[in-house]
Amino acid sequence: FLLISHSGFNLGNLVLKMKGVLHELSEKLSLQIIIITHNENLSVLADKTFLVEKSQGKSIIKEISNDLI
């Protein structure tokens, strides 16, 4: 798998270009790509999106629909 940690820099119009590149990379190399970010706009890159929240000292992980973001 490939892990990408998004550090908050402005991606602007590159997001849609990244989607195609990452999808092609994933398909050709049979890679699972995981992107960790605080930027909800990057969810357009994902097949699945998960929200991680801390509640009472525990991490709560929820799969969310990209349509809701």
Side-chain angles (χ1 to χ4, degrees), residues 3-67:
L3 178 65
I4 301 171
S5 178
H6 173 256
S7 60
F9 59 90
N10 186 359
L11 295 174
N13 294 330
L14 291 177
V15 172
L16 293 178
K17 290 181 183 178
M18 284 179 57
K19 182 176 183 171
V21 170
L22 291 174
H23 180 73
E24 185 175 337
L25 183 65
S26 175
E27 290 291 318
K28 287 188 177 184
L29 300 178
S30 297
L31 284 176
Q32 177 183 21
I33 300 174
I34 300 170
I35 300 175
I36 300 169
T37 184
H38 293 278
N39 183 342
E40 292 177 356
N41 295 325
L42 290 180
S43 68
V44 299
L45 299 175
D47 293 326
K48 291 186 178 184
T49 302
F50 296 88
L51 176 65
V52 181
E53 295 178 313
K54 193 170 190 177
S55 176
Q56 299 178 357
K58 295 182 181 179
S59 295
I60 309 298
I61 302 169
K62 301 175 194 172
E63 183 174 353
I64 56 176
S65 168
N66 288 347
D67 297 335

